[in-house]
Amino acid sequence: MPFLLFALLFLILPVLYLVNGAFQTPDGRYSLETMLSLSAPEIASSYLLSIQLSLASAAMGTVFGLVLGYTLLLGGLPGWVRRAFMTFSGVASNFAGVPLAFAFIATLGRLGLVTLVLRDIFGINIYAAGFTLFSFWGLALTYLYFQLPLMVLMITPALEGLRPEWREAAESLGASRKQYLTRVALPLLAPSVLGCFLLLFANAFGTLATIYALTSANFPVVPIVLFQQIRGNVLYNPNLGYALAVGMILIMGLTNTLYFILRRRAERWQK
Amino acid sequence: MTRRPPILSILIALIGAAFFLVPLIATFNFSLRMKRGELSFAAYRSVFESDTFLSVLSFSAVASLMAIVLGILIVVPTAYWVRLRLPRMRPVIEFLSLMPLIIPPVVLVFGYVRIYGTSSILPLTMTQMGTNILLVIGYVVLSIPYMYRAIDNGMASIDIATLTEAAESLGASRLRTIAVVIFPNVQSAIVSGAFLTFSISMGEFVITSLLNRPAFGPYLVQMGQDFAYQPSALAIMAFVFTWVCMVLMELFATRKPGQRLLPWFVRRTVQKGKL
């Protein structure tokens, strides 16, 4: 089958090659040394930074996306508002990479429109207050532009699965709105929400182009370090590059596995 | 059931809309400010007038189109065969088709430059042509999760088994069955997947840059480093481009198998011409 051959050549073999290299020393001896050197301070701090950034942007995306999704579907808004948001979300969730970086520079960069409006009209100089777009929170906010719509799109089926009967049952038993939300709706949604969170995490973890264009590769998250390593051996150890790649695969694999387990659980309530 | 007054809903929707629209407005506004003291499309003109823009655009377009064709050639027969004869292989194929979502592009291309690099058995990166082929392959891999999904969904909505039996009883070979019977029936699904692939690979940066191809993604980054206003113009163009691709994707994804690709008025004219 051509597909299997293709997958073998361009998906499985490259990964196996990297895994193999990650368990060797530069002189070709098999050992755990290379993988263990991932715990060296500057490498470990890259992973930490990547994980923190992904967590922050995924958490914001999950919470705001859930709120927005819930509002759109169950908030009593007219249908055209929902349709407009859904269409826009489809586009925005795919609007990533370099152009997104440009858009945020024009918005929240040093001379961005929002920065200037805040400074000249509201007298708030966000850059003087210590904010820069090229910092942790600036990047997390930029990621939110594709994370939030992605969350809205992904959580919609789960929200549609919340049956009105459950709400009516809760209300007829005397539950307040808050009680319905916290005791019925949220527990039902929890597996889906957590699953979406994991996907958003993975989505942010693999992101490279946006951050590259925003910071000119000066923000040492793992994908950037690996990118620089491939460009020209910055780690002075080719095998460490392999280990870096395998570390990424492990984190992505783990996140996605957890997601599939959660999705199974979530599907119990969606028929 | 009491209806909550949707003031809170309106507020949330407004904040959401502001978050989505403000960056676009700001970018558009910025892109018009190239000439001091007036709003003009000078930045757009400057982009369109550059030869580099046209050359990277056509390079990316050709590479993306090749990726779409190669993707179709790989995915259609596979999805067909799995549905028809090898349902037991389904989990394996599905897992493989989702793998590109788990392996980050930077990792994938790292594997490529090592395996298909200068000192390997199949040194694709030795020649320009080889590197271009590897680039197209990379785009195909990135698009497979979406392509497979779209085409598999398309196949789910038609009765493959009956169509195949009918074709075979009329003496069609397997290849002919796929090309003449199955393919036209999943055309919309394919086109839908193709637009998504197109929008992904046109601006792809990581694989393109690490393979040193003169394509759109690396050009964008370079523009971002060298100019102030042109990047905003490019971002607006990229947004419009993504929008068009998504709308077309949606259009074809929701089209029913019997429907033709062309709008009815074009179709009628064509049919009349034939008659």
Side-chain angles (χ1 to χ4, degrees), chain B residues 79-89 161 164-165 168 174:
Chain B
Y80 168 72
W81 202 236
V82 169
R83 276 199 171 264
L84 190 67
R85 289 288 144 82
L86 297 167
R88 267 179 302 145
M89 284 287 280
T164 307
E165 266 173 38
E168 279 176 352
R174 183 122 298 153

Side-chain angles (χ1 to χ4, degrees), chain A residues 132-152:
Chain A
T132 97
L133 182 59
F134 317 107
S135 65
F136 184 88
W137 288 107
L139 291 169
L141 196 64
T142 310
Y143 281 20
L144 193 60
Y145 200 79
F146 57 80
Q147 299 277 59
L148 176 63
L150 195 57
M151 178 67 185
V152 172

Side-chain angles (χ1 to χ4, degrees), chain B residues 167-178:
Chain B
E168 279 176 352
S169 74
L170 291 169
S173 68
R174 183 122 298 153
L175 201 67
R176 203 175 147 86
T177 307
I178 295 182

Side-chain angles (χ1 to χ4, degrees), chain B residues 1-2 30 34 36 42 46 65 81 89 130 151 160 163 167 169-170 192 204 213 223 258 266:
Chain B
M1 216 170 98
T2 49
F30 201 78
M34 192 164 148
R36 210 166 268 277
S46 138
L65 287 176
W81 202 236
M89 284 287 280
I151 291 175
I160 296 184
L163 283 175
S169 74
L170 291 169
S192 157
E204 206 284 334
R213 293 296 82 204
M223 289 297 282
V266 184

Side-chain angles (χ1 to χ4, degrees), chain B residues 2-191:
Chain B
T2 49
R3 248 183 183 248
R4 188 165 49 108
I7 295 165
L8 184 65
S9 301
I10 293 171
L11 195 69
I12 292 172
L14 281 178
I15 295 173
F19 177 72
F20 282 145
L21 294 180
V22 165
L24 291 178
I25 296 167
T27 310
F28 186 57
N29 180 286
F30 201 78
S31 73
L32 299 178
R33 289 181 179 277
M34 192 164 148
K35 278 192 186 153
R36 210 166 268 277
E38 59 167 313
L39 296 180
S40 72
F41 283 97
Y44 294 82
R45 210 170 301 128
S46 138
V47 166
F48 280 119
E49 275 167 3
S50 109
D51 292 336
T52 333
F53 173 76
L54 293 175
S55 86
V56 293
L57 198 68
S58 50
F59 182 92
S60 280
V62 171
S64 304
L65 287 176
M66 305 241 303
I68 289 170
V69 172
L70 186 59
I72 292 171
L73 288 180
I74 292 171
V75 173
V76 172
T78 311
Y80 168 72
W81 202 236
V82 169
R83 276 199 171 264
L84 190 67
R85 289 288 144 82
L86 297 167
R88 267 179 302 145
M89 284 287 280
R90 210 182 156 73
V92 180
I93 302 290
E94 266 185 1
F95 175 75
L96 284 177
S97 77
L98 289 175
M99 245 178 89
L101 294 180
I102 302 173
I103 315 293
V106 65
V107 171
L108 207 61
V109 73
F110 193 23
Y112 289 179
V113 293
R114 289 303 145 120
I115 294 192
Y116 305 107
T118 37
S119 55
S120 72
I121 322 162
L122 189 61
L124 280 175
T125 60
M126 280 287 272
T127 58
Q128 293 280 332
M129 204 54 220
T131 320
N132 289 343
I133 291 171
L134 204 53
L135 182 77
V136 170
I137 287 171
Y139 289 172
V140 172
V141 171
L142 289 191
S143 73
I144 273 185
Y146 312 102
M147 211 56 170
Y148 190 88
R149 254 274 197 71
I151 291 175
D152 197 51
N153 282 345
M155 297 224 176
S157 64
I158 56 169
D159 189 349
I160 296 184
T162 310
L163 283 175
T164 307
E165 266 173 38
E168 279 176 352
S169 74
L170 291 169
S173 68
R174 183 122 298 153
L175 201 67
R176 203 175 147 86
T177 307
I178 295 182
V180 181
V181 178
I182 302 299
F183 192 86
N185 274 296
V186 290
Q187 227 171 24
S188 314
I190 292 173
V191 176

Side-chain angles (χ1 to χ4, degrees), chain A residues 6 53 69 92 204 233:
Chain A
F6 183 83
L53 183 60
N233 194 1

Side-chain angles (χ1 to χ4, degrees), chain A residues 147-209:
Chain A
Q147 299 277 59
L148 176 63
L150 195 57
M151 178 67 185
V152 172
L153 292 179
M154 289 195 303
I155 201 66
T156 299
L159 287 169
E160 281 172 340
L162 282 181
R163 299 197 201 147
E165 293 95 308
W166 294 335
R167 182 189 187 135
E168 283 157 17
E171 278 171 356
S172 75
L173 290 171
S176 69
R177 203 186 145 64
K178 195 179 150 198
Q179 275 174 322
Y180 164 73
L181 279 179
T182 53
R183 307 287 282 272
V184 181
L186 268 183
L188 279 168
L189 289 174
S192 311
V193 171
L194 214 59
C196 293
F197 171 77
L198 289 168
L199 279 195
L200 292 186
F201 177 88
N203 195 31
F205 192 80
T207 298
L208 200 165

